[in-house]
Amino acid sequence: MAEAIWSVGKVAKRCGIKVSTLHFYEQQGLIQSWRNAGNQRRYKPEVLRRISVIKAAQKVGVSLEEIKRAFESLPYNRTPTVEDWQQLSKNWQQMLDGRIAYLQKLRSNLAGCIGCGCLSMTSCPLYNPDDKLAESGSGPVLLDQAEQKARAQQEPSASS
């Protein structure tokens, strides 16, 4: 039986995405196509499953870079099987649990800060006199440290 060949338009319509999204996924190395004699992109039917995994993972907050790493971990960069999906989703669930813990802690800290109304620069934990936090790095240093701490606390429970 001949292998089905899907056009860009057919894949985009079937997956509910724009053609430009397909091109972007291909540029990012998430999917593959080949060119026919008329220099038009063609896809194997397995691309539908890969795109479904991408969309499902993105809906729960998994980045394209994390999805790409997961795909690269599969033998021969194959389309995920049911068993592969179980492992990928388990790994992503652990990552998301860490993010949720971090966001809950962040929410609590922000609510307390906003809720007190003190506006005191002498007792506020976010205050940074003389930019001493610059020694620790650039960007939101305290938030980054809190995220790292939340991830470290999450790791022991993720391995059990």
Side-chain angles (χ1 to χ4, degrees):
M1 183 172 158
E3 183 177 82
I5 299 172
W6 292 57
S7 69
V8 174
K10 187 173 180 180
V11 172
K13 184 176 181 179
R14 176 66 178 83
C15 293
I17 60 176
K18 296 179 181 179
V19 169
S20 61
T21 301
L22 277 176
H23 295 171
F24 178 75
Y25 287 167
E26 193 168 346
Q27 288 171 347
Q28 298 303 307
L30 296 166
I31 61 173
Q32 294 177 337
S33 69
W34 74 92
R35 301 284 181 151
N36 67 10
N39 200 31
Q40 297 170 327
R41 282 185 170 94
R42 293 293 183 246
Y43 297 91
K44 292 182 180 179
E46 293 84 15
V47 76
L48 300 177
R49 180 175 292 154
R50 286 181 77 89
I51 294 169
S52 295
V53 169
I54 292 166
K55 289 178 67 174
Q58 283 186 300
K59 280 190 178 198
V60 297
V62 180
S63 73
L64 287 178
E65 188 57 40
E66 291 162 330
I67 296 167
K68 182 178 179 180
R69 279 196 306 270
F71 282 171
E72 289 171 347
S73 73
L74 300 174
Y76 307 110
N77 206 23
R78 73 168 182 244
T79 299
T81 63
V82 172
E83 293 80 19
D84 293 330
W85 174 249
Q86 294 302 316
Q87 186 59 49
L88 293 175
S89 63
K90 181 180 175 185
N91 293 342
W92 289 334
Q93 183 178 8
Q94 292 171 353
M95 177 201 59
L96 291 170
D97 287 345
R99 285 186 188 169
I100 290 168
Y102 165 70
L103 289 171
Q104 287 174 331
K105 185 173 183 175
L106 179 63
R107 180 189 63 203
S108 296
N109 288 341
L110 287 177
C113 180
I114 293 168
C116 78
C118 73
L119 301 178
S120 169
M121 291 301 164
T122 57
S123 62
C124 177
L126 298 178
Y127 180 60
N128 182 19
D130 301 320
D131 197 22
K132 290 182 181 179
L133 289 174
E135 299 168 8
S136 300
S138 61
V141 174
L142 292 175
L143 294 177
D144 291 344
Q145 290 172 352
E147 181 177 20
Q148 289 171 356
K149 185 176 178 182
R151 285 183 181 168
Q153 291 172 344
Q154 183 66 25
E155 287 177 14
S157 65
S159 62
S160 45

